[in-house]
Amino acid sequence: MNAAAVLTQLFAVIVAVAAAPLFLGWVNVCRAWLQNRRAPPLAQPYRTIGKLLHKEAVLAHDVSPLFRFAPYAIFGSMATAAAIIPALGLDLPFARAADAIALVGLFATARVFAALAAMDTGTAFGTLGARREMMLGFLAEPALLMVFFTASLIAGSTELPVIAGTHQSHTLAVHPSLAFAAIAFLMVLLAENARIPVDNPSTHLELTMIHEAMVLEYSARHLALIEWAAALKLFNYACMGFALFLPWGVAVDLASPPVLAGALAVLAAKLLLAGAALALIETVNAKIRIFRAPEFLAFAFMLAVLGLLVRLLVQE
Amino acid sequence: MAEPAVLLNAALVVVAGWLAVGAAGLLRPHATALIARLLFPLGALGSIVLTAVGLAALSAPPATRILPIGLPDLPLHLRLDPLAAFFLFLLGSASTGISVFGAGYFRAGAGTSPGLLCLQYHVFLATMAMVLLADDAYAFMVAWESMALASYFLVTTQHRIGAIRGAGFLYLLLAHVGAIAILLCFGVLQGGSWQFTFDAMRGADLDATRATLAFALALLGFGAKAGLVPLHVWLPEAHPAAPSPVSALMSGVMLKTAAYGLLRVTLDLLPFPLWHWGAALLALGLFSALFGVIFAAVQTDMKRLLAYSSIENLGIVFAGSGLALLFHAERMPLPAALALAATLYHCLNHAMFKSLLFLATGSVLHATGERNLGRLGGLIRRMPWVAWTALVGTLAIAGLPPLNGFVSEWLLLQALLLTPEVPRPFMNMLVPLGASLLALTAALAAYVMVKFYGVIFLGQMREPALADAHDCGRLERLGLLWLALACVLLGLLPAPVLGLLDGVSAELLGASLVHPQASSVWKLVPLSAERASYSPLVFLLGIVALLGASALVATRVYRRRVRRAPPWDCGFPHQDARMQDTAEGFGQPIRHIFAPFFRMHRELPSPLDAVPQYRVTVEDRFWSLLYLPLARLVTRAARLVGGIQQGRIAVYLLYSFLTLLVLLVIVL
Amino acid sequence: MPTMPLSGQYIHLFASVVLLLSFAMLAQRRIRTLIDLFALQGAALVCSTTIVAWTGDQPHLYYSAALTLLLKVIVLPLILYRLIDRLQLRWDTETGLHIPATMLIGLVLVVFAFGLAQPVSRLAGHVTQSTLGIAIAVVMLAFLMMITRRKAVTQVIGFLAMENGLFFAATSTTYGMPMVVELGIALDVLVGVLILGIFFFQIREQFDSLDLHHLERLREE
């Protein structure tokens, strides 16, 4: 592991952390356009985070240190995930430290900390949010794992850079199993990022919310980190989707500046499209009842398993 | 490098030492201080020695010894090979923490006197070690039954409570059913040679039918001990009944002797592996795992919850050994070694985190007198030591990186990903379903553990009495810390641990996993670097660096005060601790989603009730579908047999006489 | 790794899409979406038939592709739409079994279907041999849908989806049936749907509902 590799790795993380709120802003702008509303500024998420960072933190009377630690743990997990996912280049030294299974584990760690922190407040809403989040999580997590397994059976590896690299080199090969995996992945993405068919990111209606109920007690810098981590999570999921299903344009080696610029441009283009598509999905769908959410995710899980089966049954 | 024979002798010395320590407890049965300060720490010392012996023997050649104890012509054959050494290591390392904790935990109270408890506890430890060392059926069965008896007495420590006597009886019953199956299994295994040493069994000539019969009996016998569904019913009854260190020992270590026995019979004693066995084991194990975790999610008693979680974990262990067997039968040595390593690793992990959590519940029980999750809460503020060490155990058992539970799940998933290469048409497509079940189980385990930890330690105290709860004492802290440290180390250093396990797979499968060039202390590479690698230390470093950076930015750059205020009440001013989610509430989604698994009774309040009451009880379907009909059948059969009971001695003598005659006719 | 020609891969892709749509239909509660999914399945079928025709050089398959397009993508969905508009049906909330359980059974059926197809497709030296398993699976899933649904309209859609599976089996394994047979089946299906449409009105006249459990009264006591 040489210095240049560490630098590119650091660069990748910084790009992800810096660009994540922008991506969220873009999704919000697209949503507003599609719904005939006046769009908020593209940089609104940055402003929100900046405003929150400047405020005085308010903590509930008897929360434990776990509650104060959780935002950092959540943010740290998401930033680490950004270091593992090959968004810009395949040759990331840190990506070798953890594979797709560890990545799923990392998301689970963030979720468990969020749920524990929510239970720590001891309010009805906190515990309700924690329960619902864990309920979605226990179905979304295996579905995501199955999606990764479908891809890793094709590549013969669970390392994300190797998977992306394999898919890149077979430009013309069509894998039917990936069609199943892609739909399952999309459903997991929507559920995990509290997007519309499952949760509404802009609601504060207590009875239906999931993610917002969990973070109700957070304020100021803690809330800023949680919001940032949520944006980063969406960004990470988008990049995971690219690595699995649209790996073209990810540089093999990031050493030279023109290659780096190319990779950045391709990533930006993909994110623009993905953001618009996400906004479209959120606009044409209605939020489902909370009791239907497990069914939605069970469907995603079954599709992912089916993808795995198709991979083995249909001689591709 | 110590001589193998010396290691075996050392292990025997530890066993003898434990027996002596136990006997010493009887000298002054009510001297609680003496027993706590002297005898339990001495027992822990024995455990440390045993840990070292196990560690050294893992890479040593097998040693055998014949002890002329017992019946004439039936000496005890003992053998210390890598498989036994691994489980001795597990026993030693887990029991060190448990004994140290026990030194601070046991105190005089109702029930068994401390001295007697000390004897039972150390006999339990010694017999578990003897089970692992036994090299003939006779020694194995003697040790196995003594282990069951010792643990039975420990379970019924509070024998004045009727429910606990009932739980103990159920445990004893299933332990004996299992033991009979194991005895019959050895009977089949000797294959007509009538030699009951394991050495003779290895050489016995068995056909496929007999071998399958032996396998089925072993599965029944060891499955009953491990709590494999549907033989699991004793576990959620016996574990909560026992004192917490005993629950820890039973769940953390004793259940592993069942895994040991199964591995010993299937991979060592049986002459050849068949793929059906592996498939059956895999299916049963996975079902057991899912069943256990679903039931754990709906429990309202903290120790029952952990007991069901043990069913889940042993299910994973059995599934792993099934996978190893399947690969072994298909002559795929590397995947088999990987699956075996995952199985053993999971055994070790479960011994650590489950013991830790059971001990933590013991501390909570002592501090509050409550086992019911509905009356706990907020204990992290009163019992920080217990709460923070339990947090390590919670995260580990939930399978989160970079702790140890994740490593074994990672290894097992990697092994499952190799199943498409199995050259058998249906197996290669059914096993991805197994991977999905395992993933679902692991995710549900996280749900269960969030419930467990959140309801006990976080939130507001549900009862005012909890404000008086005190943290545990020094020795108890030491025991908890030992186990928490083990969880962290096993999570961070998987490659050296896997290197240690190599001796076992070399012995049983003739295959070795370790690639010296690819793996290092830092990096775990089970097969090839292209396929998968995992470096928990680097991983942890990355998380800590990013977490630290964000904390630094958030607290130093934007330096602001922190104010305390009451939690936001959403405009409803009468918030109290009873409004938090209860254990029942947290289990509700699971009850809803997996409804067919449960037998539920619900009492819903009507809008007109002055004092509305809500009650839900969840029962195991196996009770009503399997055990109760069986019990009725046995009762009816007993009534029928009761008909020949005349009450006159002459008639009984006639029965004996007739039996003698019939036997003579048969024999002659 | 890919050793198969590109056309074969595309046939597999469309075969998988047909299977995917079968699952989507199994999980769908709304009748309108169900009809859309059915039309989409027809479209996937048209695509795969066209590719088979092109690669296998079977001109008659072009006709059957066109027929499928006309009948299953355009005419039948239109008829069904009109039907549900006239009957004012929007929802099909009652499923006999809850949906994840249905899907689980569906998964088992897929494995079973492939197990059935394995010996047969080993005999056929054809580029589309593994699509036979998918075809059988589609038929079975449609059957499952008919079993688990209670409303009459969904039964018809299930019936039509079953026919899709049969058609797919025919094109992918034996380059389709003779043209006459295909025309006959197409006509049968069309007439069948029309007659069933008339039945719906009769059923509703009689019971004020299209829920099939009302028919349970029609038995000999």
Side-chain angles (χ1 to χ4, degrees), chain A residues 208-225:
Chain A
T208 59
M209 61 190 179
I210 302 170
H211 183 256
E212 291 296 324
M214 268 204 310
V215 301
L216 209 55
E217 275 306 310
Y218 277 113
S219 61
R221 57 170 179 263
H222 303 122
L223 186 59
L225 277 174

Side-chain angles (χ1 to χ4, degrees), chain C residues 77-109:
Chain C
L78 280 180
I79 293 178
L80 288 170
Y81 269 132
R82 269 177 65 86
L83 211 62
I84 60 168
D85 278 346
R86 302 250 322 257
L87 293 168
Q88 286 169 353
L89 290 174
R90 281 287 182 285
W91 296 89
D92 182 51
T93 40
E94 293 297 305
T95 51
L97 206 57
H98 72 248
I99 284 181
T102 321
M103 303 264 310
L104 204 62
I105 298 171
L107 271 187
V108 177
L109 282 181

Side-chain angles (χ1 to χ4, degrees), chain A residues 68-233:
Chain A
R68 296 174 74 168
F69 173 71
Y72 303 108
I74 296 166
F75 185 82
S77 306
M78 286 307 152
T80 314
I84 298 170
I85 300 164
L88 286 172
L90 295 180
D91 186 29
L92 298 174
F94 194 76
R96 292 295 171 146
D99 62 349
I101 305 174
L103 187 63
V104 176
L106 204 54
F107 285 125
T109 311
R111 175 174 33 245
V112 166
F113 269 104
L116 286 178
M119 293 191 82
D120 198 21
T121 61
T123 60
F125 281 117
T127 43
L128 175 135
R131 184 215 311 172
R132 288 180 174 175
E133 173 81 2
M134 292 311 289
M135 173 185 86
L136 294 184
F138 91 76
L139 283 164
E141 192 185 314
L144 183 61
L145 207 53
M146 289 303 113
V147 170
F148 278 132
F149 282 0
T150 310
S152 67
L153 279 183
I154 292 171
S157 165
T158 54
E159 305 266 318
L160 274 176
V162 180
I163 293 174
T166 316
H167 291 196
Q168 233 175 8
S169 60
H170 298 157
T171 339
L172 286 173
V174 187
H175 293 290
S177 51
L178 283 184
F180 290 84
I183 292 179
F185 178 79
L186 187 65
M187 293 171 84
V188 172
L189 184 150
L190 294 170
E192 279 281 64
N193 289 289
R195 310 310 295 187
I196 252 194
V198 179
D199 193 5
N200 191 345
S202 49
T203 184
H204 281 271
L205 183 65
E206 289 97 340
L207 288 178
T208 59
M209 61 190 179
I210 302 170
H211 183 256
E212 291 296 324
M214 268 204 310
V215 301
L216 209 55
E217 275 306 310
Y218 277 113
S219 61
R221 57 170 179 263
H222 303 122
L223 186 59
L225 277 174
I226 285 178
E227 297 278 331
W228 204 341
L232 198 52
K233 189 175 182 186

